[in-house]
Amino acid sequence: MTKIISYNINGIRAAIKKGLADWLRATNADVVCLQEIKARSEQFDESVFVDLGYYCFWNSAEKPGYSGVAILTKIKPKHVEYGCGIQDIDFEGRIIRVDFDSFSVMSAYFPSGSSG
């Protein structure tokens, strides 16, 4: 059975400093969906995740320090899809999907609905 988890981390750099790698090690999930990463992959050390056995896929917002999603997976995907083809959503890095042999996993970050 594949263990899939999702976590709104509200900033990947802060989460790494607060022990994200230890939490990931303890949960031992096969696929981890992250929302609100708020950084580009070059702004933090991806080896933290690679060392735990994850392939890493990032879809960062074009606006620095804003939204963004990721998928970490111990299973190599057959395909990765970045965005959904809607410019307003893709500009903010809100969707990423990985496809495996018999299933797909999507990490999505949606506005709360309380804002415009």
Side-chain angles (χ1 to χ4, degrees):
M1 176 165 268
T2 304
K3 184 176 182 180
I4 302 168
I5 60 175
S6 183
Y7 185 17
N8 182 319
I9 58 173
N10 194 23
I12 195 163
R13 292 172 286 186
I16 290 170
K17 289 178 186 173
K18 293 177 182 177
L20 179 61
D22 294 332
W23 179 79
L24 287 169
R25 190 176 296 105
T27 61
N28 195 31
D30 299 299
V31 181
V32 180
C33 298
L34 301 174
Q35 299 83 39
E36 272 197 289
I37 61 172
K38 296 183 178 182
R40 298 186 182 281
S41 60
E42 61 270 9
Q43 294 179 297
F44 56 90
D45 186 4
E46 185 178 293
S47 70
V48 168
F49 310 108
V50 174
D51 292 348
L52 292 172
Y54 288 105
Y55 296 95
C56 304
F57 303 97
W58 315 100
N59 190 11
S60 301
E62 291 182 33
K63 179 180 174 181
Y66 189 72
S67 60
V69 293
I71 296 179
L72 311 175
T73 175
K74 292 182 178 179
I75 309 160
K76 187 175 182 179
K78 294 180 109 19
H79 176 75
V80 180
E81 188 72 28
Y82 298 90
C84 65
I86 299 170
Q87 179 56 31
D88 288 346
I89 294 170
D90 293 345
F91 178 81
E92 294 181 349
R94 292 186 176 272
I95 296 175
I96 189 170
R97 187 188 80 230
V98 292
D99 299 327
F100 302 101
D101 286 332
S102 59
F103 67 97
S104 297
V105 175
M106 182 180 282
S107 181
Y109 174 56
F110 298 100
S112 68
S114 60
S115 67

